[in-house]
Amino acid sequence: MKRMLVWLIVALVALMLAIAPGAARKLRVVATTNDLKWAVEQIGGKNVEVVALMHPLQNPHTVQPRPSFIVQLNRADLLVRIGLDYEEPWLPPLVEESRNPKIRRGGVGDVDASIGIPLLEIPQGRITREQGEVHIFGNPHYWLDPENMKIIARNIANGLRRIDPANADEYERNLKRLERMMDDLLDETLKLAAPLRGEKFVAYHTTWSYLANRYGFRVIGYLEPKPGIPPSASHLADLIVRMRQEKAKVIIKEPFYENRIPNMVAQRTGAKVVEICPTVGGEPDTETYPKLLRHILTKLVNAVQSVK
Amino acid sequence: MVRWMLGVLALMLFAVANAQSSDAEKEAELRQLRERVAVLERLVQTLQAELASLKRNGTAPSNLQPSAIQQPSDEERRRLEQELQKALQQAPPTPAPSPAPPTYGAVVFGGGAYQALNPDTSVIANFRTAFRGRRPFAAFGGSEFSEAELAFQAATDPFSRLDTFIAVGPEGAEIEEATLSILDPSFLRLPRGLQFRLGLLRAPFGQLNNIHPPEQPFVDTPLVHRLWFGHKHGNNENGNGHEHGDNENGNGHEHEIRPEQIPTEGSFVGTGLSLNWMVPTGKHLTWLTVAPLNTHNSVFDADTRRPAWLFRLRHMRELSLTQSLNLGLNYAFGRNDLGKDTKLFGVDVTYRWRPLKEGLYRSLVWQTEAYWGWRGTDNGDVKPKGWFTMVEYQLSRTLFLGARYDFAQAPDKSFSGRGFSLAITLFPSEFGRYRLQWSRLKIGGRTVHEVWLQTTLSIGVHRPHPL
């Protein structure tokens, strides 16, 4: 038995040492969301192959890690994440299990896309679980603002330059191109979203704060009484009264939230429920970030106009 | 005169043209300046935001850290690493005498900024009450039990982390798990696919054993865990006189054992080392774990001189975007309390389903594990077996329904037990859980019903199990 054990260990070590690193190839980038994937593709161009971990229709707060996540993270040269505490429940243990020191916090291949983002809704004072599943660093749904997409892109370009300095100039050129694209997109979408200015909405979750901030509409309340806490009857009653008072006529919900409660509130307030996926690729004709933004704003404008 | 006038006109035209061209230049210059101002404006905004972020986090963003220095290509890097490795292997030069190190008072290291480096701390309070009788609620002579699990977890440096779990109950405090995990063994010049764990570990045997009891889907652990791993040699945990090794042939159990004599929980733990290798198997995930452990329970009585050796091959594959399958093969051998060889073989299967859109409201986990043992005695091998199958279905955002069927023979086959349990669990939030469980147990020919109430509350940070 002892001899067998020794041979087994020797065979395993030999097999491990036999696995040599691969030849020259594209940079492997893992992005946690499709929005980041799109940005990496814009900056990295032909030098990168990118995969997104989360499916756009998945609730980011309840992601069930799949085995392939660890395999992809193990092979990654760069990990691009939304950061703050957006992927906090599930990503850090996977990064540890991936055995890839490059993508660990502070590693050369770790890109926190939130660096430099002017954050909204940073909790003030002492934070406790009484506040629900509160985002302790501020609202992490920051990508739905073209100005923030430019910052995301700069963070990605910095990350790519770190691991692939030979193509630094190309990444810089692509970054400039994306910044111009975002400037044009902002001009275009500000015109498109003009009817939303000053309008009041109700949302299921705090996904839309940055969009509202950029395009001048307000989210006056949420179906969740506190982030991550299921709606209760008393909270919904208060919300319905407020919606009536403030004449909020549109409820925004993401595809991964149930329909029953939004419909219930809509019936009692005469509001319209509009289902919008906040992520690239979650709905038809949203396979790029500019298309996603146009799609979201068009849906909101149509919803506002239909209830007037 | 005409010539003079023509000359003046030409001069005027030249002046106008010159003025126009200088206007165009100025305009171009102005446009350039505007663009530069816009760029600088954005740069200032970005820097302001980065400054705010720095103030907020108290850390430098990764793109400002020294890692921003240009990295060499893979080939160059490998060459450089080899050179450095050789250089490092050479004898170090005799160091020049250095001045005496400065002494620092406690004040220097006692600042508030260092609080940020404190470990993640959490407390999981687990309150359980059992009502036992021949029929549900017929007899309230049950036991009450509660404990708190204290967890301290943090990265020790870029290469390793330390996780410590301490259970505190009415009977005192006990270290449940204390593990140093070497996550990046590059400083030992070993391949990065390897991970080590040292200390008091949960044994890599089966899937459920990796999960701490308060986080498991039932109040109690399956019978096979309770009977095989719930007791420690020479340690009468429940004060009920149920000890092993009190009989020469190891068959000293009373057949009319009462359910109260079987511990509510059993986990296969031991001190030692666990070496885990991520086997490169394409898009699926395979881990091979080898662990020599010093462990004392009803199956093994192993010490550091003769540890029990455990092997686990775990293969995880995705069936689709919403479904995955986890398969495990487990083998262990070592000595038992009679000084004879004991072998264990185990198989585990876990199926998970969570729909994409409705993932917050629906999910299903089905888990089955089966164990076979070969326990050496003076009268030949005893071959006990045990298995359990359980399913947990999510009914709504906060409500889960679970069912479990389990069977186990005592390690010396002196008796066997089977049980059926139903549990309904309410999660009003991620950090609070309330559970009602009914179990029907038939042990040693006697049937007993149990009704459990369990409240599990968590404060602080608690790291979830990844897969």
Side-chain angles (χ1 to χ4, degrees):
Chain A
M1 183 60 85
K2 256 186 193 171
R3 188 174 292 177
M4 211 176 103
L5 188 69
V6 170
W7 277 114
L8 187 68
I9 291 167
V10 168
L12 284 176
V13 172
L15 184 61
M16 281 183 278
L17 295 175
I19 296 157
R25 51 168 176 74
K26 286 185 175 185
L27 296 173
R28 288 178 182 141
V29 183
V30 172
T32 54
T33 69
N34 266 8
D35 311 279
L36 296 177
K37 177 177 180 262
W38 177 83
V40 176
E41 284 167 346
Q42 298 304 304
I43 307 297
K46 62 182 188 325
N47 302 320
V48 295
E49 55 180 39
V50 198
V51 290
L53 295 182
M54 273 192 264
H55 191 278
L57 293 178
Q58 245 174 341
N59 185 333
H61 304 288
T62 57
V63 171
Q64 181 165 293
R66 300 200 308 268
S68 64
F69 287 13
I70 292 185
V71 175
Q72 280 156 355
L73 289 169
N74 173 261
R75 295 170 186 169
D77 297 301
L78 199 73
L79 167 66
V80 184
R81 55 191 171 86
I82 293 287
L84 307 169
D85 53 0
Y86 189 72
E87 302 101 343
E88 197 59 36
W90 56 273
L91 188 63
L94 295 184
V95 170
E96 278 180 10
E97 292 293 351
S98 74
R99 296 126 207 259
N100 184 352
K102 276 191 283 189
I103 58 163
R104 292 184 71 192
R105 288 266 158 110
V108 70
D110 174 40
V111 175
D112 179 348
S114 74
I115 300 295
I117 298 281
L119 293 172
L120 300 177
E121 298 161 14
I122 299 171
Q124 303 296 313
R126 185 176 155 78
I127 302 166
T128 73
R129 296 282 180 209
E130 258 181 303
Q131 295 156 282
E133 289 162 29
V134 63
H135 292 296
I136 56 174
F137 303 111
N139 190 326
H141 306 272
Y142 56 77
W143 62 91
L144 289 179
D145 178 345
E147 286 294 340
N148 288 350
M149 183 47 85
K150 289 195 272 185
I151 301 171
I152 294 171
R154 179 156 291 282
N155 286 324
I156 292 168
N158 286 341
L160 286 170
R161 274 197 295 258
R162 279 202 300 271
I163 59 166
D164 184 20
N167 290 309
D169 292 344
E170 189 183 336
Y171 301 139
E172 189 59 33
R173 274 198 306 277
N174 291 343
L175 173 66
K176 292 278 176 251
R177 191 172 50 82
L178 186 136
E179 284 175 344
R180 282 196 300 275
M181 190 201 295
M182 288 301 109
D183 286 339
D184 294 344
L185 181 67
L186 189 58
D187 288 346
E188 178 199 333
T189 49
L190 279 171
K191 285 175 199 149
L192 173 67
L196 299 179
R197 233 162 227 293
E199 290 294 335
K200 292 169 184 171
F201 293 84
V202 162
Y204 207 113
H205 186 72
T206 57
T207 309
W208 312 100
S209 304
Y210 293 88
L211 191 79
N213 192 48
R214 175 60 56 196
Y215 295 99
F217 62 88
R218 277 178 61 207
V219 180
I220 61 152
Y222 297 95
L223 295 179
E224 286 181 325
K226 289 171 183 177
I229 304 296
S232 65
S234 63
H235 169 73
L236 292 177
D238 291 343
L239 187 68
I240 288 168
V241 170
R242 188 153 179 225
M243 283 177 74
R244 285 175 184 157
Q245 283 170 351
E246 301 219 22
K247 298 188 171 52
K249 291 288 184 188
V250 177
I251 300 169
I252 317 172
K253 76 164 271 287
E254 295 85 334
F256 40 77
Y257 286 116
E258 44 81 36
N259 293 311
R260 195 173 59 91
I261 288 169
N263 288 341
M264 209 163 72
V265 175
Q267 272 174 9
R268 284 161 178 78
T269 53
K272 183 184 171 77
V273 179
V274 54
E275 185 175 282
I276 306 176
C277 181
T279 305
V280 166
E283 291 181 68
D285 205 28
T286 61
E287 64 274 11
T288 66
Y289 180 79
K291 283 185 175 183
L292 172 76
L293 211 58
R294 286 184 203 116
H295 179 79
I296 292 173
L297 294 169
T298 306
K299 263 191 161 179
L300 288 177
V301 169
N302 290 343
V304 165
Q305 286 171 346
S306 72
V307 292
K308 276 195 171 164
Chain B
M1 182 71 181
V2 173
R3 274 183 192 171
W4 187 80
M5 281 175 72
L6 280 172
V8 170
L9 195 64
L11 270 172
M12 281 169 70
L13 280 171
F14 176 74
V16 169
N18 201 28
Q20 275 177 347
S21 86
S22 103
D23 277 355
E25 274 172 20
K26 275 180 187 165
E27 208 169 297
E29 202 176 341
L30 201 62
R31 198 166 52 240
Q32 274 181 349
L33 281 170
R34 277 202 198 110
E35 280 172 6
R36 285 184 65 186
V37 167
V39 168
L40 287 170
E41 212 169 45
R42 279 183 216 130
L43 188 65
V44 167
Q45 281 173 353
T46 308
L47 287 171
Q48 277 175 336
E50 285 187 2
L51 192 65
S53 165
L54 279 169
K55 281 179 182 171
R56 192 177 66 248
N57 297 328
T59 55
S62 61
N63 55 1
L64 294 180
Q65 285 173 351
S67 51
I69 296 165
Q70 288 200 340
Q71 300 289 316
S73 71
D74 276 1
E75 199 55 45
E76 284 173 333
R77 206 187 140 278
R78 263 199 299 281
R79 215 173 29 242
L80 199 61
E81 196 175 321
Q82 282 167 359
E83 274 176 33
L84 287 168
Q85 216 158 41
K86 276 182 196 161
L88 287 168
Q89 278 166 352
Q90 287 168 2
T94 316
S98 56
T103 51
Y104 298 102
V107 177
V108 174
F109 295 109
Y114 291 91
Q115 297 287 326
L117 298 174
N118 277 345
D120 291 344
T121 308
S122 68
V123 179
I124 298 180
N126 188 24
F127 305 102
R128 300 185 298 202
T129 305
F131 305 100
R132 290 200 176 97
R134 283 188 176 273
R135 293 191 194 97
F137 304 106
F140 286 82
S143 63
E144 287 193 20
F145 180 80
S146 64
E147 69 163 22
E149 185 183 273
L150 275 66
F152 303 95
Q153 300 174 281
T156 46
D157 54 35
F159 310 104
S160 57
R161 59 173 298 111
L162 187 67
D163 298 271
T164 306
F165 298 88
I166 301 166
V168 183
E171 290 157 13
E174 185 188 23
I175 297 178
E176 275 202 337
E177 192 181 338
T179 314
L180 175 72
S181 305
I182 312 269
L183 302 171
D184 174 12
S186 59
F187 72 98
L188 297 168
R189 295 177 201 157
L190 289 169
R192 76 177 195 193
L194 287 176
Q195 280 190 353
F196 296 94
R197 288 192 163 82
L198 303 149
L200 177 59
L201 320 168
R202 301 189 75 78
F205 199 89
Q207 182 65 16
L208 191 71
N209 195 57
N210 286 317
I211 303 170
H212 287 235
E215 294 170 58
Q216 291 187 9
F218 291 87
V219 178
D220 52 349
T221 52
L223 273 174
V224 65
H225 282 198
R226 293 159 68 179
L227 288 171
W228 291 21
F229 312 123
H231 291 286
K232 295 173 183 176
H233 283 289
N235 178 8
N236 191 352
E237 271 193 336
N238 288 353
N240 52 28
H242 183 61
E243 283 188 23
H244 291 262
D246 54 356
N247 181 303
E248 273 190 355
N249 61 11
N251 288 330
H253 296 284
E254 288 179 24
H255 288 256
E256 285 299 313
I257 187 168
R258 287 175 298 160
E260 293 87 39
Q261 289 181 307
I262 301 173
T264 310
E265 287 173 3
S267 298
F268 193 176
V269 293
T271 50
L273 166 75
S274 163
L275 175 65
N276 180 286
W277 178 43
M278 188 169 168
V279 186
T281 50
K283 64 176 186 172
H284 302 296
L285 186 59
T286 305
W287 282 332
L288 179 65
T289 310
V290 182
L293 291 183
N294 173 10
T295 176
H296 303 275
N297 50 47
S298 301
V299 179
F300 291 111
D301 190 14
D303 54 29
T304 41
R305 283 186 304 113
R306 300 185 74 102
W309 283 85
L310 286 82
F311 300 86
R312 173 164 167 77
L313 185 69
R314 185 180 173 198
H315 179 71
M316 286 158 276
R317 58 170 52 227
E318 282 169 28
L319 304 176
S320 69
L321 279 175
T322 58
Q323 301 171 82
S324 67
L325 197 64
N326 181 109
L327 304 164
L329 289 176
N330 312 276
Y331 178 69
F333 68 86
R335 291 292 173 104
N336 59 30
D337 56 335
L338 304 172
K340 306 283 183 190
D341 285 339
T342 286
K343 285 172 273 179
L344 281 188
F345 178 69
V347 180
D348 58 84
V349 183
T350 306
Y351 166 82
R352 289 174 200 278
W353 169 77
R354 187 185 284 274
L356 286 174
K357 271 176 76 173
E358 297 85 22
L360 189 59
Y361 308 95
R362 293 278 181 276
S363 65
L364 180 117
V365 180
W366 168 69
Q367 193 166 358
T368 297
E369 297 190 15
Y371 304 155
W372 294 267
W374 286 264
R375 176 183 156 84
T377 69
D378 294 335
N379 304 324
D381 277 1
V382 177
K383 295 174 185 170
K385 61 187 175 206
W387 61 274
F388 65 87
T389 184
M390 58 193 198
V391 64
E392 190 176 45
Y393 180 70
Q394 186 179 355
L395 296 166
S396 70
R397 185 168 177 173
T398 56
L399 213 58
F400 291 73
L401 185 66
R404 182 184 69 196
Y405 185 82
D406 54 343
F407 167 82
Q409 293 171 324
D412 54 9
K413 281 188 87 171
S414 57
F415 68 95
S416 66
R418 63 184 70 239
F420 177 71
S421 303
L422 277 176
I424 189 148
T425 309
L426 175 74
F427 281 91
S429 77
E430 204 182 320
F431 302 92
R433 186 183 69 191
Y434 303 87
R435 177 173 289 150
L436 176 67
Q437 179 179 318
W438 166 76
S439 299
R440 180 182 180 275
L441 299 172
K442 191 172 180 185
I443 296 171
R446 187 179 171 193
T447 303
V448 172
H449 294 268
E450 290 180 334
V451 175
W452 287 94
L453 289 172
Q454 184 185 34
T455 307
T456 310
L457 302 168
S458 168
I459 52 173
V461 185
H462 191 70
R463 290 161 54 79
H465 292 265
L467 286 170

